Amino acid sequence: MARHRLYVTTASLLGAAALVLTACGTDSQSGGSGSGGSSKAASIQIWEGYTGPEATAFSKLIKEYEKQNPGQKVSSLYVNNDNSLQKVTTAVQGGSPPDIAYLYGSWAPNVATIPKVVDLTQVVKQSSVNWDDFYVGERDVATVNGEVIGIPALVDNLAVVYNKTMFADAHLKPPSANWTWSEFVADSQKLTNSAKKQYGTAYVTPGTEDTVWHWEALLWEAGGQLLTPNNKQAAFNSMAGLTSLTTLQDLAVSDKSMYLDPTDQEYANLFNSGKIGMLVTGPWDLANFTNVKYGVQVMPAYPGGSGGHQTISGPDNWVIFDNSSAKTAAAEKFLLWLTAPAQVKSFSEATGDLPTRESVANAAGFTDTMNATLPGVSTFISNLANVKQARPQIIQYPKISTILGNMVNSVLLGKAQPQAALNSAAKQVNQVLAGS
């Protein structure tokens, strides 16, 4: 469902990086070492969109860094994350980008085309960074055409949050870690009561990436892929695509057990008031569910399918812009400190955000501490092991996402049959990939 760092994939963003390319020529891409004398006196500016507990925790970390590194100054400017790529590209065009910016992972292919972006490939190879400690989904999103353009700033995933009271009232057993989509559909039907305006589950239908990435996880679990390995053709028009879309059709159209939410917001209120039995959502929603006795379980799987239990991940990146060798070195040094295990642990415990490093997630007592603050978040932490792949890292993805969002909605709203919707969307996606 919607998250406070919503993935923006509007087609208008596709031209942003090209605008910067024209404006900036061939500025160098300094790698830097993350250390050295020149970084000691350099002050750096960060653009980020933190609010609430995240803003407080981030401010404390900056102060701690400055205390540990006398003479180094880190200033932070709030920029709404939804608007950050456009603001960054405009700033690069004007010759005044920040030294570091928080940017959505879904933008990575577009970000990679900006000449001012620093190539961190050699930086993350340093043994002290322990790059493999970041989850594979994070590393995949931070890497474009073999070049590392960011360091993971956040990771999320999708699991099922369910109302324990509604399950008990319907005489249903709580979902197990090995449950299937057929069981999910059956449970959803039994949790539905039209007279009470009560639904088994919900799905967001604004047609944005939030509509898309929920379906993508089902596609992968059914053994499918969005595109061919070379990213030249659509691959979702397959048996796996048909299986996954038919699951959604069964819930929304055949059984009418799925609440469709075009606002991307109302579902949380309905779940919190006991009107929805199950949600496929992320840890960002848990704090909203104060009126419900809920449980959390991994997403169901398709029995016998090659995908098994999977989830899509929502990683975002810290990206460095080359304003000088001294500033680049200072920015790298700060980011390597910020994303080291000790700081990752501190930020997660203060905010409830999932840890971006496996070593932190697996540390003794960590999940217990997190669960005490935000019940059920431990399942999302362990669910990071089910992040096995990422969305295609290509600049055409925003346009593809729009096509897929329309495809999913056409089935959910009963306007198209799954196979016809797949055929139409595949044709459109192939045209986009062919540049026509």
Side-chain angles (χ1 to χ4, degrees):
M1 300 302 175
R3 49 186 270 183
H4 57 290
R5 287 171 290 267
L6 180 66
Y7 283 91
V8 178
T9 56
T10 54
S12 62
L13 295 176
L14 289 171
L19 174 66
V20 177
L21 280 168
T22 302
C24 297
T26 57
D27 290 22
S28 63
Q29 296 182 354
S30 171
S33 65
S35 61
S38 62
S39 68
K40 292 182 179 178
S43 62
I44 58 173
Q45 184 183 62
I46 299 173
W47 288 3
E48 44 76 20
Y50 289 135
T51 59
E54 289 178 319
T56 301
F58 190 66
S59 178
K60 288 182 179 179
L61 284 174
I62 288 177
K63 291 177 182 177
E64 179 62 27
Y65 178 78
E66 291 176 336
K67 180 179 178 181
Q68 294 181 20
N69 297 270
Q72 295 191 24
K73 178 66 176 175
V74 179
S75 62
S76 179
L77 177 67
Y78 173 82
V79 175
N80 186 306
N81 287 330
D82 291 349
N83 305 323
S84 57
L85 179 59
Q86 187 62 55
K87 287 184 177 295
V88 163
T89 54
T90 300
V92 170
Q93 183 183 12
S96 58
D99 300 296
I100 302 171
Y102 183 112
L103 294 167
Y104 292 145
S106 55
W107 289 337
N110 307 82
V111 171
T113 64
I114 302 175
K116 277 281 189 179
V117 169
V118 173
D119 180 359
L120 299 172
T121 307
Q122 297 305 314
V123 174
V124 302
K125 287 182 179 179
Q126 299 174 37
S127 59
S128 59
V129 175
N130 193 9
W131 184 236
D132 288 345
D133 191 30
F134 292 99
Y135 289 93
V136 63
E138 299 171 319
R139 289 182 274 127
D140 286 347
V141 169
T143 306
V144 180
N145 296 325
E147 181 178 300
V148 178
I149 57 92
I151 295 179
L154 171 137
V155 66
D156 279 327
N157 63 73
L158 294 172
V160 178
V161 182
Y162 63 94
N163 185 319
K164 291 183 175 181
T165 301
M166 288 179 65
F167 264 70
D169 290 345
H171 306 290
L172 294 172
K173 294 181 179 179
S176 72
N178 296 316
W179 65 329
T180 66
W181 277 107
S182 60
E183 291 174 322
F184 182 98
V185 171
D187 287 351
S188 183
Q189 187 178 33
K190 293 175 182 176
L191 290 165
T192 298
N193 187 326
S194 58
K196 295 181 179 180
K197 295 183 179 180
Q198 179 177 301
Y199 295 85
T201 188
Y203 204 100
V204 291
T205 58
T208 63
E209 178 64 10
D210 205 18
T211 298
V212 176
W213 75 323
H214 286 74
W215 166 73
E216 286 172 341
L218 273 71
L219 175 70
W220 292 340
E221 288 190 320
Q225 293 292 325
L226 279 177
L227 305 178
T228 55
N230 61 5
N231 291 329
K232 298 297 184 182
Q233 291 280 319
F236 58 84
N237 187 13
S238 62
M239 183 56 67
L242 182 60
T243 297
S244 56
L245 266 188
T246 300
T247 298
L248 298 184
Q249 182 188 49
D250 288 343
L251 290 161
V253 181
S254 301
D255 295 344
K256 300 189 183 304
S257 62
M258 175 181 277
Y259 175 78
L260 302 180
D261 182 8
T263 71
D264 215 347
Q265 297 176 351
E266 187 60 27
Y267 72 88
N269 296 328
L270 291 173
F271 183 83
N272 204 33
S273 60
K275 293 297 184 180
I276 294 175
M278 299 181 287
L279 291 175
V280 177
T281 190
W284 57 85
D285 266 337
L286 294 183
N288 298 320
F289 301 148
T290 55
N291 298 334
V292 178
K293 184 178 180 181
Y294 65 81
V296 183
Q297 189 53 272
V298 299
M299 290 176 65
Y302 290 102
S306 60
H309 291 280
Q310 291 197 47
T311 176
I312 193 166
S313 177
D316 295 334
N317 294 317
W318 292 114
V319 178
I320 298 178
F321 296 88
D322 183 9
N323 289 319
S324 72
S325 59
K327 284 182 173 291
T328 294
E332 290 173 1
K333 182 177 180 179
F334 173 74
L335 278 192
L336 295 186
W337 177 88
L338 179 69
T339 58
Q343 284 66 248
V344 169
K345 179 176 183 290
S346 173
F347 192 76
S348 291
E349 290 179 341
T351 63
D353 286 2
L354 304 187
T356 54
R357 286 182 174 268
E358 289 191 63
S359 62
V360 174
N362 296 332
F366 175 77
T367 54
D368 292 337
T369 300
M370 292 285 287
N371 235 29
T373 303
L374 197 62
V377 74
S378 60
T379 301
F380 285 102
I381 295 173
S382 61
N383 195 39
L384 288 168
N386 290 320
V387 177
K388 301 174 183 177
Q389 50 192 311
R391 289 163 288 192
Q393 290 291 84
I394 56 175
I395 60 173
Q396 299 98 325
Y397 184 77
K399 288 185 177 180
I400 292 172
S401 176
T402 298
I403 295 168
L404 296 176
N406 291 334
M407 176 193 74
V408 172
N409 275 353
S410 71
V411 173
L412 290 174
L413 297 174
K415 296 180 178 180
Q417 292 298 314
Q419 189 62 67
L422 288 165
N423 292 342
S424 176
K427 181 179 180 179
Q428 295 173 65
V429 166
N430 287 339
Q431 291 174 340
V432 169
L433 292 172
S436 58

